[in-house]
Structures are given as C-alpha cells and as structure tokens.
PDB file of all heavy atoms in Angstrom:
ATOM      1  N   GLU A   1      -5.597  -6.673  -0.932  1.00 98.00           N
ATOM      2  CA  GLU A   1      -5.260  -6.330   0.449  1.00 98.00           C
ATOM      3  C   GLU A   1      -3.775  -6.609   0.625  1.00 98.00           C
ATOM      4  O   GLU A   1      -3.305  -7.701   0.291  1.00 98.00           O
ATOM      5  CB  GLU A   1      -6.087  -7.187   1.413  1.00 98.00           C
ATOM      6  CG  GLU A   1      -5.831  -6.889   2.868  1.00 98.00           C
ATOM      7  CD  GLU A   1      -6.634  -7.802   3.791  1.00 98.00           C
ATOM      8  OE1 GLU A   1      -7.067  -8.890   3.354  1.00 98.00           O
ATOM      9  OE2 GLU A   1      -6.802  -7.422   4.959  1.00 98.00           O
ATOM     10  N   PHE A   2      -3.038  -5.612   1.115  1.00 98.00           N
ATOM     11  CA  PHE A   2      -1.592  -5.771   1.196  1.00 98.00           C
ATOM     12  C   PHE A   2      -0.994  -4.991   2.355  1.00 98.00           C
ATOM     13  O   PHE A   2      -1.633  -4.120   2.940  1.00 98.00           O
ATOM     14  CB  PHE A   2      -0.927  -5.325  -0.110  1.00 98.00           C
ATOM     15  CG  PHE A   2      -1.002  -3.848  -0.362  1.00 98.00           C
ATOM     16  CD1 PHE A   2       0.013  -2.988   0.044  1.00 98.00           C
ATOM     17  CD2 PHE A   2      -2.097  -3.298  -1.003  1.00 98.00           C
ATOM     18  CE1 PHE A   2      -0.056  -1.624  -0.186  1.00 98.00           C
ATOM     19  CE2 PHE A   2      -2.177  -1.932  -1.242  1.00 98.00           C
ATOM     20  CZ  PHE A   2      -1.153  -1.097  -0.835  1.00 98.00           C
ATOM     21  N   LYS A   3       0.257  -5.336   2.630  1.00 98.00           N
ATOM     22  CA  LYS A   3       1.091  -4.564   3.549  1.00 98.00           C
ATOM     23  C   LYS A   3       2.363  -4.189   2.799  1.00 98.00           C
ATOM     24  O   LYS A   3       2.964  -5.040   2.134  1.00 98.00           O
ATOM     25  CB  LYS A   3       1.464  -5.376   4.790  1.00 98.00           C
ATOM     26  CG  LYS A   3       0.323  -5.603   5.741  1.00 98.00           C
ATOM     27  CD  LYS A   3       0.787  -6.388   6.950  1.00 98.00           C
ATOM     28  CE  LYS A   3      -0.350  -6.640   7.923  1.00 98.00           C
ATOM     29  NZ  LYS A   3       0.107  -7.443   9.075  1.00 98.00           N
ATOM     30  N   ALA A   4       2.733  -2.929   2.912  1.00 97.00           N
ATOM     31  CA  ALA A   4       3.994  -2.450   2.346  1.00 97.00           C
ATOM     32  C   ALA A   4       4.882  -2.044   3.515  1.00 97.00           C
ATOM     33  O   ALA A   4       4.467  -1.265   4.372  1.00 97.00           O
ATOM     34  CB  ALA A   4       3.748  -1.267   1.422  1.00 97.00           C
ATOM     35  N   TYR A   5       6.067  -2.599   3.548  1.00 97.00           N
ATOM     36  CA  TYR A   5       7.006  -2.325   4.633  1.00 97.00           C
ATOM     37  C   TYR A   5       8.059  -1.347   4.134  1.00 97.00           C
ATOM     38  O   TYR A   5       8.579  -1.495   3.028  1.00 97.00           O
ATOM     39  CB  TYR A   5       7.670  -3.624   5.081  1.00 97.00           C
ATOM     40  CG  TYR A   5       6.687  -4.643   5.608  1.00 97.00           C
ATOM     41  CD1 TYR A   5       6.074  -5.560   4.755  1.00 97.00           C
ATOM     42  CD2 TYR A   5       6.352  -4.677   6.953  1.00 97.00           C
ATOM     43  CE1 TYR A   5       5.161  -6.492   5.227  1.00 97.00           C
ATOM     44  CE2 TYR A   5       5.443  -5.608   7.440  1.00 97.00           C
ATOM     45  CZ  TYR A   5       4.853  -6.502   6.577  1.00 97.00           C
ATOM     46  OH  TYR A   5       3.943  -7.413   7.056  1.00 97.00           O
ATOM     47  N   PHE A   6       8.369  -0.364   4.970  1.00 97.00           N
ATOM     48  CA  PHE A   6       9.358   0.627   4.579  1.00 97.00           C
ATOM     49  C   PHE A   6      10.004   1.251   5.801  1.00 97.00           C
ATOM     50  O   PHE A   6       9.508   1.117   6.915  1.00 97.00           O
ATOM     51  CB  PHE A   6       8.724   1.720   3.702  1.00 97.00           C
ATOM     52  CG  PHE A   6       7.624   2.509   4.361  1.00 97.00           C
ATOM     53  CD1 PHE A   6       7.904   3.731   4.970  1.00 97.00           C
ATOM     54  CD2 PHE A   6       6.315   2.056   4.372  1.00 97.00           C
ATOM     55  CE1 PHE A   6       6.892   4.471   5.575  1.00 97.00           C
ATOM     56  CE2 PHE A   6       5.300   2.790   4.969  1.00 97.00           C
ATOM     57  CZ  PHE A   6       5.600   4.003   5.578  1.00 97.00           C
ATOM     58  N   LEU A   7      11.139   1.897   5.568  1.00 97.00           N
ATOM     59  CA  LEU A   7      11.797   2.695   6.597  1.00 97.00           C
ATOM     60  C   LEU A   7      11.453   4.144   6.307  1.00 97.00           C
ATOM     61  O   LEU A   7      11.617   4.610   5.177  1.00 97.00           O
ATOM     62  CB  LEU A   7      13.317   2.500   6.560  1.00 97.00           C
ATOM     63  CG  LEU A   7      13.820   1.082   6.786  1.00 97.00           C
ATOM     64  CD1 LEU A   7      15.342   1.028   6.633  1.00 97.00           C
ATOM     65  CD2 LEU A   7      13.393   0.553   8.149  1.00 97.00           C
ATOM     66  N   ASP A   8      10.972   4.852   7.315  1.00 96.00           N
ATOM     67  CA  ASP A   8      10.598   6.250   7.109  1.00 96.00           C
ATOM     68  C   ASP A   8      11.840   7.144   7.074  1.00 96.00           C
ATOM     69  O   ASP A   8      12.973   6.651   7.116  1.00 96.00           O
ATOM     70  CB  ASP A   8       9.578   6.717   8.148  1.00 96.00           C
ATOM     71  CG  ASP A   8      10.117   6.751   9.568  1.00 96.00           C
ATOM     72  OD1 ASP A   8      11.352   6.731   9.773  1.00 96.00           O
ATOM     73  OD2 ASP A   8       9.278   6.817  10.490  1.00 96.00           O
ATOM     74  N   SER A   9      11.630   8.447   6.989  1.00 94.00           N
ATOM     75  CA  SER A   9      12.745   9.388   6.856  1.00 94.00           C
ATOM     76  C   SER A   9      13.680   9.375   8.072  1.00 94.00           C
ATOM     77  O   SER A   9      14.810   9.836   7.992  1.00 94.00           O
ATOM     78  CB  SER A   9      12.229  10.797   6.593  1.00 94.00           C
ATOM     79  OG  SER A   9      11.366  11.188   7.635  1.00 94.00           O
ATOM     80  N   ASN A  10      13.212   8.825   9.186  1.00 96.00           N
ATOM     81  CA  ASN A  10      14.046   8.682  10.388  1.00 96.00           C
ATOM     82  C   ASN A  10      14.629   7.274  10.510  1.00 96.00           C
ATOM     83  O   ASN A  10      15.108   6.882  11.570  1.00 96.00           O
ATOM     84  CB  ASN A  10      13.243   9.016  11.647  1.00 96.00           C
ATOM     85  CG  ASN A  10      12.810  10.455  11.664  1.00 96.00           C
ATOM     86  OD1 ASN A  10      13.593  11.353  11.341  1.00 96.00           O
ATOM     87  ND2 ASN A  10      11.558  10.694  12.016  1.00 96.00           N
ATOM     88  N   ASN A  11      14.511   6.494   9.422  1.00 96.00           N
ATOM     89  CA  ASN A  11      14.985   5.107   9.388  1.00 96.00           C
ATOM     90  C   ASN A  11      14.238   4.203  10.369  1.00 96.00           C
ATOM     91  O   ASN A  11      14.779   3.187  10.813  1.00 96.00           O
ATOM     92  CB  ASN A  11      16.495   5.013   9.618  1.00 96.00           C
ATOM     93  CG  ASN A  11      17.235   4.713   8.336  1.00 96.00           C
ATOM     94  OD1 ASN A  11      16.633   4.618   7.274  1.00 96.00           O
ATOM     95  ND2 ASN A  11      18.531   4.564   8.443  1.00 96.00           N
ATOM     96  N   GLN A  12      13.012   4.575  10.700  1.00 97.00           N
ATOM     97  CA  GLN A  12      12.180   3.756  11.583  1.00 97.00           C
ATOM     98  C   GLN A  12      11.301   2.838  10.729  1.00 97.00           C
ATOM     99  O   GLN A  12      10.694   3.287   9.758  1.00 97.00           O
ATOM    100  CB  GLN A  12      11.291   4.645  12.464  1.00 97.00           C
ATOM    101  CG  GLN A  12      12.067   5.506  13.433  1.00 97.00           C
ATOM    102  CD  GLN A  12      12.942   4.678  14.358  1.00 97.00           C
ATOM    103  OE1 GLN A  12      12.471   3.776  15.036  1.00 97.00           O
ATOM    104  NE2 GLN A  12      14.241   4.976  14.361  1.00 97.00           N
ATOM    105  N   PRO A  13      11.201   1.541  11.089  1.00 98.00           N
ATOM    106  CA  PRO A  13      10.361   0.626  10.314  1.00 98.00           C
ATOM    107  C   PRO A  13       8.882   1.004  10.427  1.00 98.00           C
ATOM    108  O   PRO A  13       8.388   1.318  11.515  1.00 98.00           O
ATOM    109  CB  PRO A  13      10.630  -0.745  10.929  1.00 98.00           C
ATOM    110  CG  PRO A  13      11.471  -0.536  12.129  1.00 98.00           C
ATOM    111  CD  PRO A  13      11.890   0.895  12.192  1.00 98.00           C
ATOM    112  N   GLN A  14       8.211   0.974   9.291  1.00 97.00           N
ATOM    113  CA  GLN A  14       6.785   1.290   9.212  1.00 97.00           C
ATOM    114  C   GLN A  14       6.093   0.238   8.353  1.00 97.00           C
ATOM    115  O   GLN A  14       6.725  -0.392   7.498  1.00 97.00           O
ATOM    116  CB  GLN A  14       6.564   2.668   8.569  1.00 97.00           C
ATOM    117  CG  GLN A  14       7.263   3.814   9.259  1.00 97.00           C
ATOM    118  CD  GLN A  14       6.672   4.119  10.626  1.00 97.00           C
ATOM    119  OE1 GLN A  14       5.490   3.888  10.877  1.00 97.00           O
ATOM    120  NE2 GLN A  14       7.511   4.639  11.517  1.00 97.00           N
ATOM    121  N   THR A  15       4.794   0.075   8.592  1.00 97.00           N
ATOM    122  CA  THR A  15       3.981  -0.812   7.770  1.00 97.00           C
ATOM    123  C   THR A  15       2.760  -0.040   7.301  1.00 97.00           C
ATOM    124  O   THR A  15       2.047   0.564   8.105  1.00 97.00           O
ATOM    125  CB  THR A  15       3.525  -2.055   8.567  1.00 97.00           C
ATOM    126  OG1 THR A  15       4.674  -2.723   9.081  1.00 97.00           O
ATOM    127  CG2 THR A  15       2.727  -2.997   7.684  1.00 97.00           C
ATOM    128  N   HIS A  16       2.552  -0.047   5.996  1.00 96.00           N
ATOM    129  CA  HIS A  16       1.366   0.569   5.400  1.00 96.00           C
ATOM    130  C   HIS A  16       0.426  -0.575   5.032  1.00 96.00           C
ATOM    131  O   HIS A  16       0.756  -1.403   4.182  1.00 96.00           O
ATOM    132  CB  HIS A  16       1.749   1.375   4.154  1.00 96.00           C
ATOM    133  CG  HIS A  16       0.575   1.870   3.374  1.00 96.00           C
ATOM    134  ND1 HIS A  16      -0.101   3.008   3.726  1.00 96.00           N
ATOM    135  CD2 HIS A  16      -0.045   1.364   2.285  1.00 96.00           C
ATOM    136  CE1 HIS A  16      -1.090   3.195   2.860  1.00 96.00           C
ATOM    137  NE2 HIS A  16      -1.073   2.203   1.988  1.00 96.00           N
ATOM    138  N   TYR A  17      -0.748  -0.623   5.693  1.00 97.00           N
ATOM    139  CA  TYR A  17      -1.767  -1.622   5.378  1.00 97.00           C
ATOM    140  C   TYR A  17      -2.814  -0.946   4.513  1.00 97.00           C
ATOM    141  O   TYR A  17      -3.228   0.190   4.790  1.00 97.00           O
ATOM    142  CB  TYR A  17      -2.431  -2.168   6.646  1.00 97.00           C
ATOM    143  CG  TYR A  17      -3.702  -2.921   6.318  1.00 97.00           C
ATOM    144  CD1 TYR A  17      -3.669  -4.273   5.989  1.00 97.00           C
ATOM    145  CD2 TYR A  17      -4.923  -2.264   6.278  1.00 97.00           C
ATOM    146  CE1 TYR A  17      -4.828  -4.950   5.651  1.00 97.00           C
ATOM    147  CE2 TYR A  17      -6.090  -2.931   5.939  1.00 97.00           C
ATOM    148  CZ  TYR A  17      -6.034  -4.273   5.620  1.00 97.00           C
ATOM    149  OH  TYR A  17      -7.180  -4.940   5.270  1.00 97.00           O
ATOM    150  N   GLU A  18      -3.261  -1.653   3.471  1.00 97.00           N
ATOM    151  CA  GLU A  18      -4.315  -1.085   2.626  1.00 97.00           C
ATOM    152  C   GLU A  18      -5.159  -2.189   2.015  1.00 97.00           C
ATOM    153  O   GLU A  18      -4.656  -3.249   1.641  1.00 97.00           O
ATOM    154  CB  GLU A  18      -3.695  -0.235   1.515  1.00 97.00           C
ATOM    155  CG  GLU A  18      -4.714   0.495   0.687  1.00 97.00           C
ATOM    156  CD  GLU A  18      -4.083   1.517  -0.254  1.00 97.00           C
ATOM    157  OE1 GLU A  18      -2.964   1.988   0.023  1.00 97.00           O
ATOM    158  OE2 GLU A  18      -4.721   1.820  -1.258  1.00 97.00           O
ATOM    159  N   PHE A  19      -6.454  -1.907   1.911  1.00 98.00           N
ATOM    160  CA  PHE A  19      -7.388  -2.728   1.145  1.00 98.00           C
ATOM    161  C   PHE A  19      -7.799  -1.864  -0.038  1.00 98.00           C
ATOM    162  O   PHE A  19      -8.550  -0.900   0.128  1.00 98.00           O
ATOM    163  CB  PHE A  19      -8.598  -3.134   1.990  1.00 98.00           C
ATOM    164  CG  PHE A  19      -9.542  -4.056   1.268  1.00 98.00           C
ATOM    165  CD1 PHE A  19      -9.353  -5.429   1.306  1.00 98.00           C
ATOM    166  CD2 PHE A  19     -10.605  -3.548   0.536  1.00 98.00           C
ATOM    167  CE1 PHE A  19     -10.215  -6.281   0.634  1.00 98.00           C
ATOM    168  CE2 PHE A  19     -11.474  -4.398  -0.141  1.00 98.00           C
ATOM    169  CZ  PHE A  19     -11.281  -5.765  -0.088  1.00 98.00           C
ATOM    170  N   SER A  20      -7.250  -2.141  -1.213  1.00 98.00           N
ATOM    171  CA  SER A  20      -7.421  -1.290  -2.388  1.00 98.00           C
ATOM    172  C   SER A  20      -8.476  -1.837  -3.330  1.00 98.00           C
ATOM    173  O   SER A  20      -8.617  -3.048  -3.495  1.00 98.00           O
ATOM    174  CB  SER A  20      -6.109  -1.195  -3.171  1.00 98.00           C
ATOM    175  OG  SER A  20      -5.106  -0.641  -2.395  1.00 98.00           O
ATOM    176  N   THR A  21      -9.159  -0.915  -3.993  1.00 98.00           N
ATOM    177  CA  THR A  21     -10.143  -1.254  -5.015  1.00 98.00           C
ATOM    178  C   THR A  21      -9.659  -0.718  -6.358  1.00 98.00           C
ATOM    179  O   THR A  21      -9.147   0.405  -6.435  1.00 98.00           O
ATOM    180  CB  THR A  21     -11.513  -0.641  -4.670  1.00 98.00           C
ATOM    181  OG1 THR A  21     -11.897  -1.091  -3.371  1.00 98.00           O
ATOM    182  CG2 THR A  21     -12.576  -1.062  -5.671  1.00 98.00           C
ATOM    183  N   PHE A  22      -9.838  -1.522  -7.391  1.00 98.00           N
ATOM    184  CA  PHE A  22      -9.384  -1.180  -8.737  1.00 98.00           C
ATOM    185  C   PHE A  22     -10.549  -1.281  -9.715  1.00 98.00           C
ATOM    186  O   PHE A  22     -11.517  -1.989  -9.465  1.00 98.00           O
ATOM    187  CB  PHE A  22      -8.259  -2.127  -9.171  1.00 98.00           C
ATOM    188  CG  PHE A  22      -7.051  -2.013  -8.294  1.00 98.00           C
ATOM    189  CD1 PHE A  22      -6.964  -2.728  -7.107  1.00 98.00           C
ATOM    190  CD2 PHE A  22      -6.014  -1.165  -8.629  1.00 98.00           C
ATOM    191  CE1 PHE A  22      -5.855  -2.614  -6.288  1.00 98.00           C
ATOM    192  CE2 PHE A  22      -4.903  -1.041  -7.811  1.00 98.00           C
ATOM    193  CZ  PHE A  22      -4.826  -1.764  -6.643  1.00 98.00           C
ATOM    194  N   LYS A  23     -10.420  -0.566 -10.834  1.00 98.00           N
ATOM    195  CA  LYS A  23     -11.474  -0.550 -11.839  1.00 98.00           C
ATOM    196  C   LYS A  23     -10.870  -0.789 -13.213  1.00 98.00           C
ATOM    197  O   LYS A  23      -9.860  -0.173 -13.556  1.00 98.00           O
ATOM    198  CB  LYS A  23     -12.194   0.802 -11.817  1.00 98.00           C
ATOM    199  CG  LYS A  23     -13.351   0.900 -12.770  1.00 98.00           C
ATOM    200  CD  LYS A  23     -14.096   2.208 -12.598  1.00 98.00           C
ATOM    201  CE  LYS A  23     -15.336   2.211 -13.477  1.00 98.00           C
ATOM    202  NZ  LYS A  23     -16.125   3.406 -13.256  1.00 98.00           N
ATOM    203  N   LEU A  24     -11.499  -1.676 -13.976  1.00 98.00           N
ATOM    204  CA  LEU A  24     -11.106  -1.933 -15.355  1.00 98.00           C
ATOM    205  C   LEU A  24     -11.938  -1.035 -16.261  1.00 98.00           C
ATOM    206  O   LEU A  24     -13.166  -1.068 -16.207  1.00 98.00           O
ATOM    207  CB  LEU A  24     -11.326  -3.403 -15.715  1.00 98.00           C
ATOM    208  CG  LEU A  24     -10.931  -3.835 -17.127  1.00 98.00           C
ATOM    209  CD1 LEU A  24      -9.437  -3.636 -17.349  1.00 98.00           C
ATOM    210  CD2 LEU A  24     -11.329  -5.279 -17.360  1.00 98.00           C
ATOM    211  N   GLU A  25     -11.258  -0.221 -17.049  1.00 97.00           N
ATOM    212  CA  GLU A  25     -11.951   0.717 -17.932  1.00 97.00           C
ATOM    213  C   GLU A  25     -11.144   0.853 -19.215  1.00 97.00           C
ATOM    214  O   GLU A  25      -9.943   1.106 -19.165  1.00 97.00           O
ATOM    215  CB  GLU A  25     -12.076   2.068 -17.228  1.00 97.00           C
ATOM    216  CG  GLU A  25     -13.005   3.042 -17.895  1.00 97.00           C
ATOM    217  CD  GLU A  25     -13.238   4.257 -17.002  1.00 97.00           C
ATOM    218  OE1 GLU A  25     -14.149   4.185 -16.162  1.00 97.00           O
ATOM    219  OE2 GLU A  25     -12.498   5.238 -17.162  1.00 97.00           O
ATOM    220  N   ASN A  26     -11.812   0.667 -20.367  1.00 95.00           N
ATOM    221  CA  ASN A  26     -11.138   0.750 -21.672  1.00 95.00           C
ATOM    222  C   ASN A  26      -9.894  -0.146 -21.726  1.00 95.00           C
ATOM    223  O   ASN A  26      -8.831   0.264 -22.183  1.00 95.00           O
ATOM    224  CB  ASN A  26     -10.759   2.198 -22.005  1.00 95.00           C
ATOM    225  CG  ASN A  26     -11.983   3.089 -22.083  1.00 95.00           C
ATOM    226  OD1 ASN A  26     -13.023   2.668 -22.565  1.00 95.00           O
ATOM    227  ND2 ASN A  26     -11.856   4.301 -21.601  1.00 95.00           N
ATOM    228  N   ASP A  27     -10.038  -1.368 -21.238  1.00 95.00           N
ATOM    229  CA  ASP A  27      -8.967  -2.376 -21.244  1.00 95.00           C
ATOM    230  C   ASP A  27      -7.750  -1.991 -20.427  1.00 95.00           C
ATOM    231  O   ASP A  27      -6.644  -2.493 -20.672  1.00 95.00           O
ATOM    232  CB  ASP A  27      -8.544  -2.717 -22.683  1.00 95.00           C
ATOM    233  CG  ASP A  27      -9.647  -3.416 -23.459  1.00 95.00           C
ATOM    234  OD1 ASP A  27     -10.370  -4.228 -22.852  1.00 95.00           O
ATOM    235  OD2 ASP A  27      -9.787  -3.132 -24.662  1.00 95.00           O
ATOM    236  N   ALA A  28      -7.911  -1.096 -19.466  1.00 97.00           N
ATOM    237  CA  ALA A  28      -6.798  -0.721 -18.587  1.00 97.00           C
ATOM    238  C   ALA A  28      -7.298  -0.719 -17.146  1.00 97.00           C
ATOM    239  O   ALA A  28      -8.422  -0.307 -16.861  1.00 97.00           O
ATOM    240  CB  ALA A  28      -6.256   0.658 -18.958  1.00 97.00           C
TER     241      ALA A  28
END
C-alpha cells in the first residue's frame, strides 16, 4: 500500500494512492 506524489502536466500536486497485489512466479 503506497502513495506516489507527483506534479501533473499543469504542475499541480497530485497523489496516487494504491493497494497493489503482486505474484511470485518462476522466481520472479
């Protein structure tokens, strides 16, 4: 679970919140 902070194309501050799921397959 993370937040990524960035400035959009109009230089406006934005926050991308995400709860991501990952999978281990063939050692990757």
